[in-house]
Amino acid sequence: MAQTFFAPSQSVRLKFREAPFDLLTDFLINLNKRNKDNLHSLSQCSGDFRDKRLMEYIFLMTEKLSLDPLAGYHAIELLQRFMVKHLTDLLTTPTPQGEAVDPQRSYEGAVFDNLKEKFPLIIFSCVQLASKMSLHSHIIDNGTAVRFLHSIGHSVSKQTLLESELTVLKGLEFGLNAPNPLTYVEILLEVLGHNEPSVSVERLYHLCRHVLHFVSLQRDVIFDSLLVTTTQCVSPSREQREKFVTVTEDYMLLGVGVIAVASFILYVRKWEQVVGELSHITGISKRSISDFAHVTLMHIVNSPASL
C-alpha cells in the first residue's frame, strides 16, 4: 500500500507569471552571470554526479515525499557541488602521520569505501536541504526524514541525520543558492511570455517540465548526439570532448533548448519565431538552439518512453 508522508499543503505558493518584468530582467541578468561564472570555473568532475540512475533516484524520492520538482533539480545541484568539493578535499589531504596504511588497500580505495556507506544519506541530506530552500515545497522535518529513510531500508537516528546535513552544509560552505536547470527554464519562459504575448507560455510550462525531465535522464546520449552534430565527426577526439564540457554544463543553452523542443511540439507554426526570440533574449545563436532541439526531438521520437 502506498505510504503518504505529507498531507496536501494549505500554504500560499508563488505562481508562475506573477513576477513583474523589472524583477524578471534582474533575475535573467543574474542567472546569465552565474552561468558564465560557472562555465569559466568548471571542475574536471563536472557532471559526474548527474548519472541517469542517480538523478532518477532523486526524482523518485522527491515524488514520494510530495516535493515540487524544483526541489529535485536543486538537490542534484547541491549533490554535484558537494561531492566534487568533498572528494577533492579528501583525495588531496595527506594521510595523517602515524596512521597505519594497509599496503593491499590504497588510500583512495579506503576513501571510496567509506563514502559508499554514507552516500545514500548524503543524497537524502541534499534533498532535505533543497526542500528547505524551496518556496514551492514542504520542508522535510527530521521525524518525517527518519520514517522515510526507514521505509526504504535505511535505519538512522535523528542525530545521524543532523550530522549528515551539517557535513553537507559545511562542505558547501553554507552556500545553498545554486541555480538549477528548471529555474533557467522558468525565468526564460516568463521573459518569453512578456516579449511574445501570442505564445501561451502557461501551456509551454507544463510541457517544458516533462521535456526537461526527459533531457535530464537522457543527458549523456543527447549530448553525445549533439557533439557529433556540432563537430560533424562520428568519433569526436578526446580534445573535442573536453572542449564540449562547456556545452554540456551550459544551463542557459539547456533552458532555451528545452523551450524550443516544447514549442516545436505545441506551436510548430510559431517555432521559428520562438527560437528567434529566445536567441534575442540570451544571445545564443539560432543554429545552436535549433541543433539542440532537433537532436532532442530525435531522441524523444525514438524513445520507448513518452513525455
Side-chain angles (χ1 to χ4, degrees):
M1 182 177 177
Q3 191 171 356
T4 302
F5 290 90
F6 287 109
S9 174
Q10 300 298 321
S11 61
V12 177
R13 296 183 177 188
L14 296 180
K15 294 181 180 179
F16 181 62
R17 300 209 70 188
E18 282 191 345
F21 186 68
D22 55 342
L23 280 181
L24 289 178
T25 303
D26 291 341
F27 289 157
L28 187 61
I29 291 171
N30 179 261
L31 285 178
N32 188 47
K33 180 181 183 304
R34 296 187 71 167
N35 187 55
K36 288 181 177 179
D37 289 345
N38 180 57
L39 294 177
H40 289 148
S41 58
L42 290 175
S43 162
Q44 291 182 341
C45 302
S46 294
D48 285 0
F49 292 92
R50 295 194 190 97
D51 173 79
K52 177 181 178 179
R53 290 175 301 174
L54 181 56
M55 294 181 75
E56 194 165 30
Y57 179 69
I58 291 175
F59 288 148
L60 288 172
M61 187 182 295
T62 55
E63 182 180 345
K64 184 71 173 178
L65 288 165
S66 304
L67 299 178
D68 188 273
L70 191 66
Y73 288 104
H74 194 171
I76 291 166
E77 292 308 304
L78 297 181
L79 180 66
Q80 169 71 24
R81 288 173 54 215
F82 170 76
M83 290 303 300
V84 169
K85 187 176 185 303
H86 188 57
L87 281 174
T88 300
D89 290 346
L90 287 175
L91 296 177
T92 55
T93 302
T95 305
Q97 285 188 339
E99 184 173 306
V101 179
D102 185 346
Q104 301 299 321
R105 188 187 187 207
S106 69
Y107 175 67
E108 287 188 11
V111 167
F112 284 108
D113 285 346
N114 184 46
L115 191 59
K116 184 178 179 181
E117 298 177 6
K118 298 179 180 179
F119 195 51
L121 193 52
I122 290 173
I123 295 172
F124 184 83
S125 292
C126 290
V127 172
Q128 188 173 18
L129 287 169
S131 79
K132 295 178 180 180
M133 293 294 292
S134 175
L135 295 175
H136 299 268
S137 293
H138 307 276
I139 292 177
I140 306 172
D141 60 58
N142 288 336
T144 301
V146 168
R147 292 195 304 275
F148 175 77
L149 287 169
H150 180 74
S151 75
I152 59 174
H154 299 288
S155 296
V156 297
S157 65
K158 290 183 180 181
Q159 181 63 33
T160 301
L161 202 62
L162 286 170
E163 290 171 357
S164 175
E165 189 173 16
L166 187 58
T167 297
V168 174
L169 278 170
K170 288 181 176 178
L172 294 172
E173 297 177 344
F174 295 88
L176 302 181
N177 188 22
N180 63 74
L182 185 53
T183 300
Y184 280 83
V185 170
E186 289 181 343
I187 298 301
L188 287 168
L189 272 177
E190 293 261 20
V191 177
L192 177 65
H194 181 274
N195 292 1
E196 286 291 344
S198 64
V199 177
S200 175
V201 293
E202 287 84 1
R203 287 189 66 198
L204 276 178
Y205 179 62
H206 178 73
L207 183 56
C208 278
R209 290 172 79 132
H210 290 285
V211 173
L212 180 59
H213 187 268
F214 178 86
V215 173
S216 298
L217 295 181
Q218 302 298 326
R219 182 176 184 271
D220 291 342
V221 293
I222 287 175
F223 280 113
D224 280 347
S225 297
L226 186 59
L227 174 59
V228 171
T229 299
T230 303
T231 60
Q232 295 293 301
C233 180
V234 178
S235 300
S237 66
R238 180 176 178 179
E239 182 181 1
Q240 287 174 317
R241 290 185 177 278
E242 289 176 351
K243 289 182 178 179
F244 197 70
V245 172
T246 56
V247 176
T248 65
E249 297 300 311
D250 188 340
Y251 282 179
M252 197 64 80
L253 173 62
L254 177 60
V256 294
V258 165
I259 296 170
V261 170
S263 299
F264 186 89
I265 296 171
L266 286 180
Y267 307 115
V268 66
R269 292 183 180 179
K270 295 183 178 181
W271 187 70
E272 290 186 5
Q273 178 185 348
V274 171
V275 169
E277 186 56 41
L278 290 172
S279 176
H280 173 72
I281 292 170
T282 62
I284 298 172
S285 71
K286 295 179 186 178
R287 174 65 182 273
S288 295
I289 298 172
S290 297
D291 284 348
F292 186 100
H294 288 151
V295 166
T296 303
L297 284 163
M298 177 187 69
H299 282 283
I300 289 174
V301 170
N302 294 329
S303 173
S306 62
L307 294 178

